[in-house]
Amino acid sequence: MELRGVFPPIPTPFSDGDLDVDALASNCDRWLTTGVHGLVVLGSNGEAPLLDEAESDLVIETVRARVPPGRTLIAGVARESTVGTIRAADRAARLGVDAVLVRTPSFFKTLLHDEALVAHYTAVADASPAPVLLYNFAALTGISLSLDTVTRLADHPNVVGIKESGSDIGFISSLVDDTPDGFRVLAGSAPAFYASLLSGVAGGVLALACVVPEHCVRLFELVEAGRLSEARLLQRRLTPLARLLTRVHGVPGLKAALSILGYVGGDARAPLMPVSSAAVDELRRALLSLDAPVA
Amino acid sequence: MELRGVFPPIPTPFSDGDLDVDALASNCDRWLTTGVHGLVVLGSNGEAPLLDEAESDLVIETVRARVPPGRTLIAGVARESTVGTIRAADRAARLGVDAVLVRTPSFFKTLLHDEALVAHYTAVADASPAPVLLYNFAALTGISLSLDTVTRLADHPNVVGIKESGSDIGFISSLVDDTPDGFRVLAGSAPAFYASLLSGVAGGVLALACVVPEHCVRLFELVEAGRLSEARLLQRRLTPLARLLTRVHGVPGLKAALSILGYVGGDARAPLMPVSSAAVDELRRALLSLDAPVA
Amino acid sequence: MELRGVFPPIPTPFSDGDLDVDALASNCDRWLTTGVHGLVVLGSNGEAPLLDEAESDLVIETVRARVPPGRTLIAGVARESTVGTIRAADRAARLGVDAVLVRTPSFFKTLLHDEALVAHYTAVADASPAPVLLYNFAALTGISLSLDTVTRLADHPNVVGIKESGSDIGFISSLVDDTPDGFRVLAGSAPAFYASLLSGVAGGVLALACVVPEHCVRLFELVEAGRLSEARLLQRRLTPLARLLTRVHGVPGLKAALSILGYVGGDARAPLMPVSSAAVDELRRALLSLDAPVA
Amino acid sequence: MELRGVFPPIPTPFSDGDLDVDALASNCDRWLTTGVHGLVVLGSNGEAPLLDEAESDLVIETVRARVPPGRTLIAGVARESTVGTIRAADRAARLGVDAVLVRTPSFFKTLLHDEALVAHYTAVADASPAPVLLYNFAALTGISLSLDTVTRLADHPNVVGIKESGSDIGFISSLVDDTPDGFRVLAGSAPAFYASLLSGVAGGVLALACVVPEHCVRLFELVEAGRLSEARLLQRRLTPLARLLTRVHGVPGLKAALSILGYVGGDARAPLMPVSSAAVDELRRALLSLDAPVA
C-alpha cells in the first residue's frame, strides 16, 4: 500500500433512494482509467453518515472488487462510539481495504478533550486489522485534533497518517514537521493542495479529484518534478471549481458535476437537496474552462 | 398522551460495555415512583449516538414494559438521513412509544438550510405513526431551527411540539407565541426552567429530573399554582446542580450522580470518559445541599 | 440615584456628519415626557465607538442639562485601555453623570481572561468618581464576563450593577442569585425583558424603550404589580418590533423608527449604512401595530 | 516605496505607563541594523487600540525620524468610524508615512456586510494622501473581508495591497490570484510565511520579525533565490517561536522576548497583563534554540 498521491473521495450513487451498485462499479472503472493513486470510499463526500451498516459494507465490497493491486483503497469507518468504530474497522479490513479513515467523533463536543481523543484512537488503532488514518474535519465536526494529540498518536505503530481537511497551512506544516517521516499527511482542501505539497504532505484526498482527476494528478506530478511555476498556475486554474464543489455546493454539487461529465451522479440522499439549475450551469462553465470532457 | 410536565431524559446503563437491561428496568421503576409525567429514552443523555440500532430497540422495549398508561414515553429517533429517521420512528412506534423526538440532522452543516430542514421534518412527520417532537440542540449540533422553520412545521398535524435545549428566553418565548395553542414547547435547560414555565412552556426534558425528580416536579407544580416566589427560590437552589450535570460534567457526571443516589449509573460509553473523583465529591456535595437521598 | 426601571439607550443624532446638539436636546426633552426612569448615553445604540473624545463629552454635557433630578443619567465610558477608560469615567463624572457603564474591552480576545478582566474593572472602579455598571455584550464583543468574574467584582463597593445584553435566562438568573441584594442587574434584551423581570432584574436598558417608552414602562409596572398575564401579553406584542430594532436592522433601524415617530433620527455614521425603504415600511407597520404615534 | 520583503510590526514601549519615546527610537535604530525592508507602527502588536490620538501621532513622528529613505514606514490608522479613519490617515500622511494600514472596522458586526466595507474603504482610499493597505484580521475582529470585496477594492488606484493575518492558504492564494499584479499581499502569519511566499505574497508583516529579523529576512531571500529546501527547513525551525509570540503569549510575550534580547520590551498596557516567569523561560529557550543573541 502506498499513501502518496491523489485519492478521490468518491460519492455513493443512489437509484430510487437505494444504493446503486452498478453505477458505483462503473464510476470506479472510469476513475481507474485515470492516474489516481487510489480511491477513498465512505468519506464525507461518500455520504457515509447517511448510509446504514449494510450499505456501508456493500460499498466497500463493490469497490474492492474493482480496485486492482497497486492502487490503494481507503474506507471511512468512523462512528460516534469507540466500539462502533472498531467494529466498522474490523469489517472493512475483512472486506480487504488497505487502510481505514477515522473521522473524529464529535457529538459530545465539550467532553471530547485531548485525553478522550487519544484514548479513542489508541483503542481503534490497537484493534483495527488495517492501518489507521486519522481524519480531522473541524469545519464540519466542530472538533479539531490538536497538534499535540496528533503527535502522540503518530507514535502508534498502526496509525499511519492523517487527512486534514482544513487549509490552515501553519497547522498542516506542523503536522508534517512534528510527526515521524513515515507518517503521511494528506491534504483535504483542494485550494490548498499546491502549498500543502510544497510543505511536505504526501498527497490529497480531494473532491476535485473525482471530477478532474487528471488535473489533480498532474498538479501532484508537477510539484514532484520541481516544476513549480507550472504547478502554481494549474492550482490557480483549479481553485474556482474546487470551491464550487465543496464550500458552495457540497456533495449535491459534486454529484451534479459528475453527471455533467457522464459519470452516474444523481441526487444525494435527503436531507441533502439537489442543486439548482443555475448551479448546474455554473458547474458546467467551470468544467468547460478546464477542458473537462463535458457530455 | 400528555406532553405537559417533567420528563427525565434517562441515561442508558451498561455492564461490561453492553446494554444492561435489568439496570435500565430497575432505574425506570424507581423513577416511576416519583411524580414525573413520563420518560424520554434515547436522547443525548441516553447516549443515543453511541448505540446501534438493535440496542436502541432494546432500550425502547425495556422501558415500554415498565411505563404504565398515564405516563408518557418519548423516544429519540434522529438519524442523519431522512430515511434512517423514518425507519427508526416507525420501529419506535411499533414498540409502543407515545411520541418520537427528532433532533436536527447536523453533519452537512452548510447544506442544512431552512428548506432542507422543513422538507426533512415534513417527510418524517408524514411517515411517522407516532406524533413528532422537534428537537433543537444548537450548542451540540451547530444547527438551529429558525423561528420561521418551527412555525411552518407546527402547522403539520403530526408535529406536536419541540424540545428546545437552549436558554435564550427570547427565542423560547417566541416559540410559544408564534405556534398554535396545542403545540407543546418543552424546555431542555434546567437553569431556565422557571423562566421558561413563566413564558408558557408546557414542561421540561431535564437531565436534572433524572437526579432530583421530585424537586423538578415541585418547581413545575409551584408555577402551576402561581406560587412564584417559592418557585423562584427553588430554581435558585437547583441551578448549581443543574450546571454540574450538563455544562460541567455532562453524561458521565449524570451517571455518577445517579450512582451516588443508588441508581445504577456506571460509566458512559467510550469515547466518553469517567469523571474524576473530585467531580464525584462535587456532585455529592451538591446533592446533599438539596437533601437528595445520597446513599 | 435609582437603578430600577426603564432606561432608553439613546442614539446620537448627526447633521451633515456632525453631532447635532439641538436634536439631541429636543429628543431628550420628549423622552423625559414619558415615564422612563432615566437615560443612557454613549452606549452601543449611541454609536459610542464612532465618536471622538470631544463629541463624547458634548453628548454628556447636552443630555446632563436636560435630565432633571429624580431621573438617572448613565454614560458609556468604555475604552480598550484601562487608562483610557479611567480618564473617560473621570470626565463623565465631572460632567455630572449618575453612573458609568463600562463595556468589556475586547480587542485582544485571547488575553482577556478572567484575571485580566477583574484587574481592569477593579482599577476602573477604584478610580471612578461615579458608580460603575459592568456591561457584558458577548454577541458584539466576542468576550463574556463569567459568572465568577461578576460575583467577584460585585463585592467592590463602587461596582453597583451590570447590564447584560444577552438573553440566556439561566445566566441572567444566576447574575441575580449570586450577587448581593443591592447589586442591580439590568436587562439589555427586550425580547427577554418579561422573563428577566420575573427572574429578579432591576430593569432594562432597551433600544425598544427609545421608540415605545410607555409600553416598556408599562411592562415594567405590570410585573411590579404582579399582573403577570397582562405583562406576558404585552411582551408578546413588543417582541417583533424589538427584534427589528436590534438583530434585524440595528442602530440605523432604530434611527429610522425614531424618524417615523417625529424624533430626529437621521443616518448613523459610516461605516453604518442607512436602512432600505422596505425596512422603513416594515418598521412603520410594526409601530402602527403597537399604536405608536406614527407621524 | 517598496512593499516587498519583511516588515516587523513593532511594539510600543511604555515607561511608568507613558509612551517611552527614547526606547522606541533606540529599538528602531537596532531593527534598522538588520535587513528588514521597513517597519510597521501602530499595528495590533503596537497596541494601537490602547493608545490615544496624541500618542499615536508621537509614535509615527518618532519612528519617521529614524527610518531612512529606502526603507518603508507603514502606520496603522484604523478607527471604527470612517471619518475617524480618514482623519488618522491624513495625519499619518502629513507625518510622512509611506502607506497606511487600515484594519476592518468590527464593532457593529452584523451591519458590516460587503457593501458597507466597500464603501468604507473606498471613502478612506479616496481621502487618504498616502496609499492604503487593507488589513484583515478575522481571528481578532470577527469580521473577514471576502475575496469579492478585496477584488473590488483592489481596482481602486489608492489601494495598494492587503495584510492578511490568517493562515488559510487557499484564501491567501486567491488574494494573489484574483487581484492585479501590482497589488501586494502581505502575510501576517509567520507559520504560514514559507507557503505564502511560494503562493505569491510579496512579503510579511510578522511579529516574529521583531525578534529574529535576520532569520525572517533570510527565509524571504531563500525563497526569492529558489533555495526551497533550505527555506522550508528554516520555516520549520521558526514556527515554534512564532506560535509563542502570537497565539500563546501575544503582545506581552513579544515584549518579554524583546527584553530577553536587550531591546526595551517592558509591559504591555492594561488590561493586558505581563507573562509569567515560566513563559519568559519558555521564550528564552526558544530564542536560544535559534541562536538569537540572548542577553
Side-chain angles (χ1 to χ4, degrees):
Chain A
M1 174 192 55
E2 178 51 270
L3 284 171
R4 293 183 60 80
V6 171
F7 305 86
I10 67 174
T12 306
F14 301 104
S15 175
D16 292 329
D18 291 322
L19 179 60
D20 186 340
V21 171
D22 292 340
L24 178 59
S26 71
N27 282 351
C28 281
D29 290 346
R30 182 162 164 195
W31 279 308
L32 292 165
T33 66
T34 70
V36 298
H37 303 82
L39 298 177
V40 174
V41 297
L42 302 175
S44 309
N45 284 296
E47 297 174 60
L50 305 180
L51 304 182
D52 66 25
E53 300 288 346
E55 290 171 328
S56 301
D57 289 353
L58 191 50
V59 166
I60 295 174
E61 224 178 305
T62 304
V63 177
R64 176 69 286 175
R66 321 305 295 188
V67 177
R71 310 269 192 125
T72 300
L73 174 59
I74 302 166
V77 298
R79 302 293 184 274
E80 279 295 324
S81 73
T82 305
V83 64
T85 306
I86 287 172
R87 284 184 191 144
D90 190 64
R91 294 205 320 271
R94 288 170 195 274
L95 291 169
V97 304
D98 298 305
V100 292
L101 181 64
V102 185
R103 202 181 48 243
T104 52
S106 65
F107 186 79
F108 294 100
K109 294 200 164 31
T110 55
L111 302 170
L112 294 170
H113 40 67
D114 283 9
E115 284 315 303
L117 292 167
V118 167
H120 173 73
Y121 278 108
T122 300
V124 172
D126 284 350
S128 171
V132 169
L133 279 162
L134 313 176
Y135 181 5
N136 200 41
F137 200 161
L140 276 197
T141 63
I143 291 286
S144 187
L145 292 168
S146 70
L147 186 55
D148 182 60
T149 295
V150 176
T151 306
R152 288 164 69 186
L153 290 169
D155 286 336
H156 191 291
N158 204 29
V159 175
V160 296
I162 183 169
K163 176 187 172 191
E164 165 56 42
S165 286
S167 48
D168 178 334
I169 197 69
F171 185 63
I172 293 168
S173 301
S174 290
L175 290 175
V176 173
D177 291 345
D178 294 4
T179 53
D181 274 359
F183 186 85
R184 301 299 192 203
V185 180
L186 297 175
S189 166
F193 194 38
Y194 166 81
S196 298
L197 288 169
L198 266 291
S199 300
V201 306
V205 178
L206 309 170
L208 183 69
C210 298
V211 175
V212 285
E214 293 89 349
H215 289 76
C216 294
V217 170
R218 179 144 186 79
L219 176 45
F220 177 76
E221 291 173 347
L222 286 170
V223 173
E224 291 280 292
R227 294 162 61 179
L228 300 191
S229 46
E230 287 166 87
R232 180 70 183 81
L233 208 66
L234 180 52
Q235 172 70 68
R236 178 178 181 160
R237 289 182 63 211
L238 293 173
T239 294
L241 176 60
R243 284 194 206 286
L244 291 181
L245 296 174
T246 50
R247 287 206 198 173
V248 182
H249 300 304
V251 179
L254 172 58
K255 288 188 152 182
L258 288 174
S259 294
I260 293 170
L261 295 168
Y263 287 83
V264 181
D267 287 341
R269 206 165 241 186
L272 301 184
M273 301 186 83
V275 294
S276 66
S277 62
V280 173
D281 291 344
E282 191 181 22
L283 287 162
R284 181 176 286 113
R285 282 194 301 275
L287 290 166
L288 284 170
S289 79
L290 291 168
D291 305 314
V294 168
Chain B
M1 174 192 56
E2 178 51 90
L3 285 170
R4 292 184 60 79
V6 171
F7 304 87
I10 67 173
T12 306
F14 301 104
S15 175
D16 292 329
D18 291 324
L19 179 60
D20 186 339
V21 170
D22 293 339
L24 179 58
S26 70
N27 281 352
C28 281
D29 290 346
R30 181 162 164 195
W31 278 309
L32 292 165
T33 65
T34 70
V36 298
H37 304 81
L39 297 178
V40 174
V41 297
L42 302 175
S44 309
N45 283 296
E47 298 174 60
L50 306 180
L51 303 183
D52 65 26
E53 301 288 346
E55 289 171 327
S56 300
D57 290 353
L58 192 50
V59 166
I60 296 175
E61 224 178 305
T62 304
V63 177
R64 176 69 285 176
R66 322 304 295 187
V67 176
R71 310 269 192 124
T72 300
L73 174 58
I74 303 166
V77 298
R79 303 293 184 273
E80 279 296 322
S81 73
T82 305
V83 65
T85 307
I86 288 172
R87 284 184 191 144
D90 191 64
R91 294 204 321 273
R94 288 170 196 275
L95 292 168
V97 304
D98 298 305
V100 292
L101 181 64
V102 185
R103 201 181 49 242
T104 53
S106 65
F107 187 79
F108 294 100
K109 295 199 163 31
T110 56
L111 303 170
L112 293 170
H113 40 67
D114 283 8
E115 284 315 304
L117 292 166
V118 167
H120 173 73
Y121 277 109
T122 300
V124 172
D126 284 349
S128 172
V132 170
L133 280 162
L134 314 176
Y135 181 4
N136 200 42
F137 200 161
L140 276 197
T141 63
I143 290 286
S144 187
L145 292 169
S146 69
L147 186 56
D148 182 59
T149 295
V150 176
T151 305
R152 288 164 68 187
L153 291 170
D155 286 336
H156 193 291
N158 204 29
V159 174
V160 296
I162 183 170
K163 176 186 172 192
E164 165 57 42
S165 287
S167 48
D168 179 334
I169 197 68
F171 185 62
I172 293 168
S173 301
S174 290
L175 290 176
V176 173
D177 291 343
D178 294 5
T179 53
D181 274 358
F183 186 84
R184 301 299 191 203
V185 180
L186 298 175
S189 166
F193 194 37
Y194 165 81
S196 298
L197 288 169
L198 266 290
S199 300
V201 307
V205 179
L206 309 170
L208 182 70
C210 298
V211 175
V212 285
E214 292 90 349
H215 288 75
C216 294
V217 170
R218 176 142 186 83
L219 176 45
F220 177 76
E221 291 172 347
L222 285 170
V223 173
E224 291 280 292
R227 294 162 62 181
L228 300 192
S229 45
E230 288 165 86
R232 180 70 183 81
L233 208 66
L234 180 53
Q235 172 70 68
R236 178 179 181 160
R237 289 181 63 210
L238 293 173
T239 293
L241 175 61
R243 284 195 206 286
L244 291 181
L245 296 174
T246 51
R247 286 206 198 172
V248 181
H249 300 304
V251 178
L254 172 58
K255 288 188 153 183
L258 289 174
S259 294
I260 293 170
L261 295 169
Y263 286 82
V264 181
D267 285 342
R269 207 164 239 185
L272 300 185
M273 302 186 84
V275 294
S276 66
S277 62
V280 173
D281 291 344
E282 191 181 22
L283 288 161
R284 181 176 287 113
R285 281 193 302 274
L287 290 166
L288 284 169
S289 79
L290 290 168
D291 306 313
V294 167
Chain C
M1 172 192 57
E2 178 51 88
L3 284 171
R4 291 184 61 81
V6 171
F7 304 87
I10 67 174
T12 306
F14 301 105
S15 175
D16 293 329
D18 291 323
L19 179 60
D20 185 339
V21 171
D22 293 340
L24 178 59
S26 71
N27 282 352
C28 282
D29 290 347
R30 182 162 164 197
W31 279 308
L32 292 165
T33 65
T34 70
V36 297
H37 303 82
L39 297 177
V40 174
V41 297
L42 302 175
S44 308
N45 284 297
E47 297 174 60
L50 306 180
L51 303 183
D52 66 25
E53 300 288 346
E55 289 172 327
S56 301
D57 290 354
L58 191 50
V59 166
I60 296 175
E61 223 178 305
T62 304
V63 177
R64 177 69 286 176
R66 321 305 294 189
V67 177
R71 310 269 192 125
T72 300
L73 174 58
I74 303 168
V77 298
R79 303 291 184 274
E80 279 295 323
S81 72
T82 305
V83 64
T85 306
I86 288 172
R87 284 185 191 143
D90 190 65
R91 295 205 318 273
R94 289 170 196 275
L95 291 169
V97 304
D98 298 305
V100 293
L101 181 63
V102 185
R103 201 182 49 243
T104 53
S106 64
F107 186 78
F108 294 101
K109 294 200 164 31
T110 55
L111 303 170
L112 293 170
H113 40 67
D114 283 8
E115 284 314 304
L117 292 167
V118 167
H120 173 72
Y121 278 109
T122 300
V124 172
D126 284 348
S128 171
V132 169
L133 279 162
L134 313 177
Y135 181 5
N136 199 41
F137 200 161
L140 276 197
T141 63
I143 290 285
S144 187
L145 293 168
S146 69
L147 186 55
D148 182 60
T149 296
V150 176
T151 305
R152 287 164 68 186
L153 290 170
D155 287 336
H156 192 291
N158 203 28
V159 175
V160 296
I162 184 171
K163 176 187 172 192
E164 165 56 42
S165 287
S167 49
D168 179 335
I169 196 69
F171 185 62
I172 293 168
S173 300
S174 290
L175 289 176
V176 173
D177 290 344
D178 294 4
T179 53
D181 275 358
F183 186 84
R184 301 299 192 202
V185 179
L186 297 175
S189 165
F193 194 36
Y194 166 80
S196 298
L197 289 169
L198 265 291
S199 299
V201 307
V205 178
L206 309 169
L208 182 70
C210 298
V211 175
V212 286
E214 292 90 350
H215 289 75
C216 293
V217 170
R218 177 142 186 80
L219 176 46
F220 177 77
E221 290 172 347
L222 286 170
V223 173
E224 291 279 293
R227 294 162 63 180
L228 300 192
S229 47
E230 288 166 86
R232 180 70 183 81
L233 209 66
L234 180 52
Q235 172 70 69
R236 178 178 180 160
R237 290 182 62 211
L238 293 173
T239 293
L241 175 61
R243 283 196 206 285
L244 291 181
L245 296 174
T246 51
R247 287 205 198 173
V248 181
H249 300 304
V251 179
L254 172 58
K255 288 189 152 181
L258 289 174
S259 295
I260 293 170
L261 295 169
Y263 286 82
V264 181
D267 286 341
R269 207 165 240 186
L272 300 185
M273 302 186 84
V275 293
S276 67
S277 62
V280 173
D281 290 344
E282 191 181 21
L283 287 161
R284 181 176 288 113
R285 281 193 303 275
L287 289 165
L288 283 170
S289 79
L290 290 167
D291 307 313
V294 167
Chain D
M1 174 192 58
E2 178 52 89
L3 284 171
R4 291 183 61 79
V6 171
F7 304 87
I10 67 174
T12 306
F14 301 105
S15 175
D16 293 329
D18 292 323
L19 179 60
D20 185 339
V21 170
D22 292 341
L24 179 59
S26 70
N27 281 352
C28 281
D29 290 347
R30 182 162 162 195
W31 278 309
L32 292 165
T33 65
T34 71
V36 298
H37 303 82
L39 297 177
V40 174
V41 296
L42 302 175
S44 308
N45 284 296
E47 297 175 61
L50 306 180
L51 303 183
D52 65 26
E53 301 288 347
E55 289 171 328
S56 300
D57 289 354
L58 191 50
V59 166
I60 296 175
E61 224 179 305
T62 304
V63 177
R64 177 68 286 176
R66 323 304 296 187
V67 177
R71 311 269 192 126
T72 300
L73 175 58
I74 303 167
V77 298
R79 303 292 184 273
E80 278 295 323
S81 73
T82 306
V83 64
T85 307
I86 288 172
R87 283 184 192 145
D90 190 65
R91 294 204 320 272
R94 289 171 196 275
L95 291 169
V97 303
D98 297 306
V100 292
L101 181 64
V102 185
R103 200 181 50 243
T104 53
S106 65
F107 187 79
F108 294 100
K109 294 199 163 31
T110 56
L111 303 170
L112 294 170
H113 40 67
D114 283 8
E115 285 315 303
L117 292 167
V118 167
H120 173 72
Y121 278 109
T122 300
V124 172
D126 284 350
S128 170
V132 169
L133 279 162
L134 313 176
Y135 181 6
N136 200 42
F137 200 160
L140 277 196
T141 63
I143 290 286
S144 187
L145 292 168
S146 69
L147 187 55
D148 182 60
T149 296
V150 175
T151 306
R152 288 164 68 187
L153 291 170
D155 287 336
H156 191 291
N158 203 29
V159 175
V160 296
I162 184 171
K163 176 186 173 193
E164 166 56 42
S165 287
S167 48
D168 179 335
I169 197 69
F171 185 63
I172 293 168
S173 301
S174 291
L175 290 176
V176 173
D177 290 344
D178 294 4
T179 53
D181 275 357
F183 185 84
R184 302 298 192 204
V185 180
L186 297 174
S189 166
F193 193 37
Y194 165 81
S196 298
L197 289 169
L198 266 291
S199 299
V201 308
V205 178
L206 309 169
L208 182 70
C210 298
V211 174
V212 285
E214 293 89 350
H215 288 75
C216 293
V217 170
R218 178 140 185 84
L219 176 45
F220 176 78
E221 291 172 347
L222 285 170
V223 173
E224 291 280 292
R227 294 161 64 180
L228 300 192
S229 46
E230 287 166 86
R232 180 69 184 80
L233 209 66
L234 180 52
Q235 173 70 69
R236 179 179 180 158
R237 291 182 62 211
L238 293 174
T239 293
L241 176 61
R243 283 195 207 286
L244 291 181
L245 296 174
T246 51
R247 285 205 200 174
V248 182
H249 300 304
V251 178
L254 172 59
K255 288 188 153 182
L258 289 174
S259 294
I260 293 170
L261 295 168
Y263 287 83
V264 181
D267 286 341
R269 206 164 241 186
L272 301 185
M273 301 186 84
V275 294
S276 66
S277 62
V280 172
D281 291 344
E282 191 182 21
L283 288 161
R284 181 176 287 113
R285 282 193 302 275
L287 289 166
L288 284 169
S289 79
L290 290 167
D291 306 313
V294 167

